[in-house]
Amino acid sequence: MADPIEVRKVAIESVTDASGLERLIDDGVIEADRVLAVIGKTEGNGGVNDYTRILADRAFREVLIAKGTRTPEEVAQVPLVWSGGTDGVLSPHATIFASLDPAAVEPSDEPRVSVGVAMSEVILPEDIGRPAMVEKVAAGVREAMKIAGIEDPADVHYVQTKTPLLTLATINDAKSRGQDVVIEDTGPSMDISNSTTALGIAVALGEIEMPRADQIHKDLSLYSSVASCSSGVELDRAQIVVVGNVRGVGGRYRIGHSVMKDALDADGIWEAIRGSGIELPERPHPSDLGDRLVNVFMKCEADPSGRVRGRRNIMLDDSDVHWHRQIKATVGGVAASVTGDPAVFVSVAAVHQGPSGGGPVAAIADLG
């Protein structure tokens, strides 16, 4: 049986601020050595050269080293998944997942959050955007499910990953070995890495069959309803965090999921919150949540049709502000209006993650 889980959200008040994590450890809420994963938003540009992710990563790892007994090499294996860019009202924050001593938690037959963490095999530059990456991610997801004690894929509600993208250095590395890469433009490689990873998650969970190479990043009918994929320059394999519900594990937290059908689909967010076990009226309001909602996690994508609910927008034609930033701000505003809290996890580049023009939503509730 997997260990029960504690989940807490903390604010990030400056680029290198990890004081929220430090306080949780000092107050005895969690133990440094039991931190399994951190999923957070940083305030950079969200692009290939967003170094706020690296700064946050370093700050949080330094706390885990200083406050625990794990070696720096062991702490380096803890997945810290940072999504850059807090456009609009989005606020920098981190959600921390830590295991608890089972002896201190009463078991429960109710579904409660369980977390499994795994690393894939090394993803080579030439793997990105191709079936080899799909297979490596799928294998890693299956391993993370085993660690979480989740047997039924239907009990998986959120899979957060961080994978490598292409940089000039890794492109040249592939060429030096006689290999080619799927694209030589580093910016779009972020979206391709995310979409390929999402297909690996979908394959592992039985949502789709193994895709053909020509379907990757192209056949938008293929998607996972629980995938949330980010990529960056700071790693060479997939960091995989599987979050689901297990009976008997105990604890206070439960997770649910749904999808946003488009960028304005607040009902999709409310549906995920209901799935987390929070009872709501027919027409809910943020005040109905009290302090029970820990966080929501979602992906978003500009609709390739250039329209939302029949109305034309110019995000994909705008040469001044990249559509990544525009759709992230839009969905962030919708999510914050639902939760009443701007510290929500909204990440962009959602091809194969939820329906085209929409995206998956996961919600974690503290049920006491």
Side-chain angles (χ1 to χ4, degrees):
M1 179 68 70
D3 289 342
I5 299 296
E6 184 71 30
V7 189
R8 293 295 180 102
K9 180 169 68 177
V10 299
I12 297 178
E13 299 295 349
S14 67
V15 179
T16 58
D17 175 36
S19 61
L21 170 62
E22 193 168 12
R23 280 193 300 274
L24 288 175
I25 297 169
D26 289 345
D27 292 345
V29 177
I30 61 175
E31 297 177 30
D33 290 345
R34 284 185 169 271
V35 172
L36 299 174
V38 177
I39 298 171
K41 292 293 300 180
T42 66
E43 60 202 75
N45 60 24
V48 174
N49 66 335
D50 184 351
Y51 297 109
T52 64
R53 297 185 299 240
I54 297 174
L55 293 171
D57 192 272
R58 180 181 299 168
F60 273 67
R61 292 190 196 278
E62 286 175 351
V63 170
L64 294 180
I65 293 169
K67 297 289 183 177
T69 63
R70 289 186 285 194
T71 66
E73 292 74 23
E74 290 170 329
V75 169
Q77 299 304 308
V78 178
L80 306 189
V81 181
W82 301 106
S83 171
T86 47
D87 303 274
V89 299
L90 289 173
S91 182
H93 69 280
T95 303
I96 299 156
F97 297 81
S99 65
L100 297 172
D101 182 356
V105 178
E106 184 177 347
S108 170
D109 287 334
E110 293 296 317
R112 290 294 182 264
V113 163
S114 185
V115 176
V117 172
M119 300 285 281
S120 76
E121 293 181 39
V122 171
I123 295 173
L124 300 171
E126 58 267 29
D127 293 337
I128 295 173
R130 291 171 172 156
M133 183 175 183
V134 175
E135 292 171 346
K136 289 180 179 181
V137 170
V141 171
R142 295 186 188 105
E143 178 62 23
M145 286 178 62
K146 290 179 183 177
I147 294 169
I150 299 173
E151 297 179 358
D152 186 348
D155 290 327
V156 175
H157 295 277
Y158 178 42
V159 182
Q160 178 65 58
T161 61
K162 192 64 178 282
T163 52
L165 48 75
L166 290 170
T167 65
L168 182 59
T170 58
I171 292 170
N172 287 335
D173 170 65
K175 289 180 177 179
S176 73
R177 294 181 285 102
Q179 302 293 325
D180 65 353
V181 293
V182 71
I183 190 171
E184 294 195 16
D185 190 342
T186 59
S189 78
M190 176 181 292
D191 294 15
I192 294 172
S193 178
N194 292 352
S195 62
T196 313
T197 303
L199 291 176
I201 294 167
V203 167
L205 300 180
E207 295 177 285
I208 64 170
E209 298 295 327
M210 182 68 190
R212 303 186 309 271
D214 63 345
Q215 292 178 298
I216 298 173
H217 204 67
K218 293 183 176 66
D219 185 347
L220 301 184
S221 70
L222 303 179
Y223 64 84
S224 170
S225 296
V226 298
S228 177
C229 307
S230 294
S231 52
V233 299
E234 63 268 32
L235 70 176
D236 64 358
R237 62 190 72 206
Q239 291 181 333
I240 300 164
V241 182
V242 167
V243 188
N245 292 318
V246 172
R247 294 181 184 273
V249 69
R252 294 163 31 195
Y253 303 92
R254 181 172 170 178
I255 186 169
H257 81 274
S258 184
V259 295
M260 293 179 74
K261 297 178 178 66
D262 61 33
L264 302 179
D265 186 16
D267 288 341
I269 303 173
W270 284 118
E271 186 177 348
I273 293 171
R274 280 193 175 92
S276 72
I278 297 177
E279 293 186 6
L280 296 168
E282 184 178 350
R283 293 177 62 85
H285 183 270
S287 60
D288 297 317
L289 297 172
D291 58 359
R292 294 174 294 173
L293 183 67
V294 178
N295 207 0
V296 292
F297 307 83
M298 60 196 69
K299 293 290 293 188
C300 59
E301 183 86 4
D303 195 306
S305 72
R307 292 180 178 269
V308 174
R309 303 196 180 183
R311 296 291 191 181
R312 184 173 72 92
N313 64 73
I314 52 85
M315 279 188 283
L316 296 173
D317 289 326
D318 193 334
S319 298
D320 295 313
V321 181
H322 196 279
W323 67 263
H324 274 198
R325 311 201 74 163
Q326 297 189 49
I327 193 64
K328 195 186 308 176
T330 300
V331 174
V334 173
S337 73
V338 168
T339 65
D341 183 358
V344 289
F345 185 90
V346 180
S347 178
V348 76
V351 173
H352 299 315
Q353 298 151 77
S356 182
V361 187
I364 296 179
D366 182 349
L367 301 181

